[in-house]
């Protein structure tokens, strides 16, 4: 009975046809509009890029701070 259910779901899932949007995406990404490819996807790409850059800058600053703190000897009382 499990085999029949799994075969049925696989066969019915393959019947549904999805719209092929690859040519639309190819046209979008090949368009020469001066944008780098990682920003051509729209607003979400720009937002993701800015968040990633922010995390990178903050992380780099924190690492430099920690290296400076680790390189200075602590005063003994």
């Amino acid at each position: 009975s499990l085999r029949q259910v799994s075969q049925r779901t696989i066969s019915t899932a393959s019947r549904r046809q999805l719209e092929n949007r690859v040519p639309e995406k190819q046209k979008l990404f090949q368009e020469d509009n001066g944008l780098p490819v990682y920003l051509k996807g729209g607003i979400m790409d720009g937002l993701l890029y800015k968040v990633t850059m922010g995390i990178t800058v903050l992380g780099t600053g924190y690492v430099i701070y920690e290296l400076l703190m680790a390189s200075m000897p602590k005063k003994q009382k």
Side-chain angles (χ1 to χ4, degrees), residues 18-67:
L18 297 176
E19 182 184 349
N20 185 8
R21 292 186 288 166
V22 172
E24 296 171 20
K25 292 291 185 182
Q26 285 176 336
K27 186 184 257 185
L28 173 73
F29 282 96
Q30 291 175 357
E31 184 179 316
D32 187 19
N33 56 6
L35 287 175
V37 71
Y38 52 86
L39 294 177
K40 287 190 176 187
I43 294 173
M44 284 304 293
D45 280 355
L47 181 64
L48 181 62
Y49 175 74
K50 289 176 184 176
V51 167
T52 302
M53 284 294 111
I55 291 172
T56 302
V57 168
L58 290 173
T60 302
Y62 182 69
V63 166
I64 291 172
Y65 169 77
E66 287 296 328
L67 285 172

Side-chain angles (χ1 to χ4, degrees), residues 3-17:
R3 177 182 281 172
Q4 289 174 344
V5 170
S6 65
Q7 287 177 348
R8 191 176 314 137
T9 57
I10 291 171
S11 64
T12 56
S14 64
R15 287 184 199 159
R16 286 184 265 149
Q17 293 295 321

